[in-house]
Amino acid sequence: MEILIGAYEYVMTNSDRFLEALKVHVTISLYALLIAAVVCIPLGILCAKKQWLTGPVMGLFNSLRVIPSLAVLIIILPLMGTGFGPALIALTLLACPPILINTYMGFRTIEPSIVEAAAGIGMDSSTILRKIELPLALPLLLSGLKTATVEVVASATLAAFIGGGGLGTFIINGLGMYNFSLLLVGAIPVAMLAIFSEVSFAWIERSVTKYAR
């Protein structure tokens, strides 16, 4: 209990520093997810429609899943130095696989007969994509975004290892000084952000699935 009280008192005393770290954490997470979505959603759709792309693209992005984010940071460090940029690249790479794979699976599970029927009544390919395929694939696509969001929010603490800032700064400093109150100043908000992301996307998924039915 004393540790929690100490964490609360630290936040109240250093509110500006805490809010700045929270802002950096949320910003780097959102940027990573936005970049990953812009790249991987179209790429997932393309892979679903062009099977010859599936093997090399999926193999490349699946290989990213086995590389820890911290290892990516260490690899990037000599090339880009420290700061926000290298951390953003590492988090973007972390977010890509679940978004790409779920987008691909969402479009591949659409019954071909549905697309053929839409084409038969005169819809062009862009209209079919927008009005038929995307709504049907949306639940799986959102599931991939949810997974990516939770992973990125939790892993954004690693940005502090290379001077990227964020809530991870409190965790690292707390561990280094054996100050568990300071550690909780970073750990509790990260956990709350991850839970909030999980619950929010779960609600959106349920709403979309219900609407699709």
Side-chain angles (χ1 to χ4, degrees):
M1 191 65 182
E2 291 181 3
I3 295 175
L4 288 173
I5 293 172
Y8 174 78
E9 289 176 347
Y10 181 90
V11 172
M12 292 297 100
T13 307
N14 302 274
S15 58
D16 290 344
R17 184 182 177 190
F18 173 77
L19 290 174
E20 179 62 26
L22 178 62
K23 178 183 175 182
V24 171
H25 195 99
V26 172
T27 300
I28 196 171
S29 299
L30 287 176
Y31 280 4
L33 289 165
L34 180 61
I35 294 169
V38 168
V39 172
C40 291
I41 291 176
L43 189 57
I45 296 171
L46 190 61
C47 286
K49 294 180 177 295
K50 308 289 184 182
Q51 281 297 291
W52 60 271
L53 274 176
T54 303
V57 171
M58 290 297 175
L60 173 63
F61 280 88
N62 272 323
S63 66
L64 294 176
R65 307 187 93 171
V66 302
I67 304 175
S69 298
L70 187 56
V72 176
L73 287 173
I74 293 170
I75 293 170
I76 292 174
L77 192 59
L79 301 175
M80 297 187 62
T82 60
F84 189 91
L88 177 61
I89 291 174
L91 291 172
T92 301
L93 293 176
L94 178 68
C96 282
I99 296 175
L100 176 68
I101 292 168
N102 278 53
T103 301
Y104 170 79
M105 292 302 299
F107 277 82
R108 286 298 297 169
T109 54
I110 297 172
E111 290 290 337
S113 58
I114 297 175
V115 177
E116 291 172 5
I121 61 173
M123 286 187 179
D124 58 29
S125 57
S126 62
T127 304
I128 292 172
L129 175 64
R130 188 175 68 255
K131 293 188 175 181
I132 305 294
E133 293 178 306
L134 190 56
L136 291 174
L138 196 55
L140 266 177
L141 195 157
L142 286 172
S143 179
L145 283 171
K146 178 182 71 175
T147 301
T149 300
V150 173
E151 289 182 359
V152 166
V153 167
S155 299
T157 52
L158 297 175
F161 280 99
I162 58 168
L167 294 169
T169 304
F170 300 119
I171 297 175
I172 293 172
N173 291 341
L175 286 171
M177 297 185 293
Y178 292 97
N179 184 335
F180 295 105
S181 293
L182 185 58
L183 187 152
L184 290 181
V185 170
I188 291 176
V190 170
M192 291 176 67
L193 284 171
I195 292 169
F196 175 76
S197 301
E198 174 80 23
V199 171
S200 299
F201 270 100
W203 179 81
I204 294 171
E205 278 184 74
R206 286 195 299 271
S207 300
V208 168
T209 302
K210 183 178 179 181
Y211 176 77
R213 290 175 180 174

